Amino acid sequence: MLREAASNILQFHNFLKSGVDVRISDYPLMGEPVKMTCILIGYVILAVYTGPRLMAGRKPMRLNTAMIIYNLSMVLLNAFIVYEFLMSGWATTFTWRCDLIDTSTTPQGLRMVRVAWLFYISKFIELMDTAFFVLRKKQSQITFLHVFHHSFMPWTWWWGITGTPGGGMGSFHAMVNSAVHVIMYFYYGLSAAGPRFQKFLWWKKYMTAIQLTQFVLVSVHISQYYFMEKCDYQNRLWIALIWMYGVFFFILFSNFWLQAYIKGKRLPVSEDKPKQNGSTSEPITVVANGKHVENGNGHHYTNGKLLLGKVKEI
């Protein structure tokens, strides 16, 4: 029984490996799904169970310098990803309608393969967002939604780009998401730099609007597929998944916008939850009343000054 089960699992594993596009099969974490799945399972365990317990008897770490370097590095990485997507087709040969997967080995086709993989890898780097929360003992930020998105997004992207690394219309959402991450991580970098930079963060309230615009663009663009008379895109399941992502996160952020800006509600710092994907950072205004308090970036305010607590998004 066990031998037969093991044989079936091995056959299924080999079947998955055989379906990986040969142009991307030798890239790290791409040849088969086991390694990347184990990494993401380990991430979930560390984020939810092991990490918080290891930090339980320790003081929260102040990681401002590391956070500044990390956030600004992510700005540069995502800006490069956007540029590569543009040069791989979106600013050169694509029609922005029924753009099919490029299965060739031309320089442009291989360039799209490389940037699709780089976007995929960037989602593993973004797991550092959670690591900073754990080390700074901001466990209230690590919600089910946060962990689900950070683990499920790279997992689904493996299945998407192993069969569609040539991009086409299915890569539009990745380019838009990376563009939003440029803005998001730039905001986080300034926020982590200290209170002297708070005056440059006046545009924080527009972050949610940027997110809503992202999801509208992604949903409208991918919805074209269902209204075209003929579009032989090679991976219909990938199209459906992208559409579901766009609609789900639009609903999520619309609710946040309603609660934060229409009804004017603000959650207490201890109850504030991170929103989803590529997201916004909504500071909470709290009066310190002369007490020594710490904001979301690890900065301290006293003597009744205002505390701007950063809500980190995923």
Side-chain angles (χ1 to χ4, degrees):
M1 181 77 69
L2 290 177
R3 182 176 297 179
E4 183 179 353
S7 176
N8 290 334
I9 292 173
L10 182 61
Q11 288 181 14
F12 181 65
H13 178 260
N14 292 334
F15 169 75
L16 293 177
K17 288 183 65 175
S18 66
V20 177
D21 191 298
V22 294
R23 297 172 301 168
I24 203 172
S25 59
D26 291 333
Y27 281 63
L29 297 181
M30 289 307 307
E32 43 77 29
V34 175
K35 291 179 182 177
M36 68 93 181
T37 301
C38 289
I39 290 173
L40 295 174
I41 291 174
Y43 158 76
V44 173
I45 295 172
L46 285 170
V48 176
Y49 183 81
T50 309
R53 280 157 181 76
L54 288 175
M55 290 299 297
R58 295 176 170 83
K59 293 182 178 180
M61 296 183 182
R62 295 198 63 190
L63 302 168
N64 294 65
T65 300
M67 289 171 62
I68 292 171
I69 295 172
Y70 167 72
N71 286 317
L72 295 185
S73 297
M74 292 302 290
V75 169
L76 296 177
L77 175 61
N78 281 280
F80 178 73
I81 291 173
V82 172
Y83 174 78
E84 286 298 296
F85 270 124
L86 288 171
M87 294 300 101
S88 297
W90 289 102
T92 54
T93 59
F94 283 10
T95 65
W96 294 64
R97 288 182 57 77
C98 181
D99 296 301
L100 303 181
I101 299 169
D102 186 350
T103 59
S104 72
T105 56
T106 62
Q108 180 165 304
L110 294 177
R111 192 173 189 176
M112 178 62 81
V113 170
R114 287 193 296 269
V115 70
W117 173 81
L118 188 58
F119 177 80
Y120 164 74
I121 289 298
S122 74
K123 297 306 164 189
F124 285 91
I125 299 174
E126 287 173 14
L127 301 183
M128 286 297 298
D129 292 358
T130 312
F132 282 122
F133 285 148
V134 170
L135 294 175
R136 293 163 61 234
K137 300 186 75 169
K138 304 291 183 181
Q139 197 63 25
S140 63
Q141 302 272 21
I142 307 176
T143 63
F144 167 79
L145 211 51
H146 174 96
V147 175
F148 175 79
H149 178 77
H150 272 68
S151 55
F152 193 65
M153 181 70 171
W155 193 79
T156 54
W157 248 82
W158 185 90
W159 299 94
I161 64 173
T162 51
T164 61
M169 65 188 302
S171 64
F172 176 75
H173 74 288
M175 181 178 66
V176 174
N177 182 252
S178 295
V180 170
H181 275 66
V182 171
I183 302 171
M184 180 191 77
Y185 281 109
F186 180 68
Y187 176 88
Y188 294 157
L190 287 179
S191 183
R196 65 185 181 278
F197 288 94
Q198 293 296 326
K199 61 184 178 181
F200 300 113
L201 301 178
W202 54 267
W203 45 276
K204 63 182 175 60
K205 66 181 180 180
Y206 299 110
M207 290 292 291
T208 303
I210 292 171
Q211 293 304 313
L212 288 171
T213 302
Q214 171 190 196
F215 302 131
V216 169
L217 289 174
V218 169
S219 298
V220 169
H221 175 264
I222 209 68
S223 293
Q224 295 180 96
Y225 174 80
Y226 298 105
F227 297 97
M228 295 175 185
E229 291 186 4
K230 184 178 181 181
C231 183
D232 297 323
Y233 191 77
Q234 298 95 315
N235 193 334
R236 296 182 180 182
L237 181 60
W238 191 229
I239 294 289
L241 183 60
I242 294 169
W243 184 87
M244 286 189 291
Y245 263 127
V247 172
F248 173 75
F249 289 124
F250 178 80
I251 294 172
L252 177 69
F253 274 88
S254 294
N255 180 67
F256 175 79
W257 180 272
L258 177 66
Q259 298 299 324
Y261 298 111
I262 304 301
K263 294 184 177 181
K265 294 181 179 179
R266 291 292 188 273
L267 296 175
V269 172
S270 62
E271 297 178 3
D272 205 5
K273 304 295 183 183
K275 301 297 182 252
Q276 277 297 323
N277 181 15
S279 340
T280 180
S281 173
E282 179 59 22
I284 307 299
T285 302
V286 180
V287 178
N289 292 324
K291 296 182 180 180
H292 191 258
V293 290
E294 181 181 356
N295 75 357
N297 291 313
H299 303 302
H300 296 78
Y301 290 73
T302 57
N303 300 323
K305 293 183 180 179
L306 291 180
L307 165 66
L308 296 178
K310 186 179 82 170
V311 178
K312 181 104 176 192
E313 306 295 343
I314 60 178

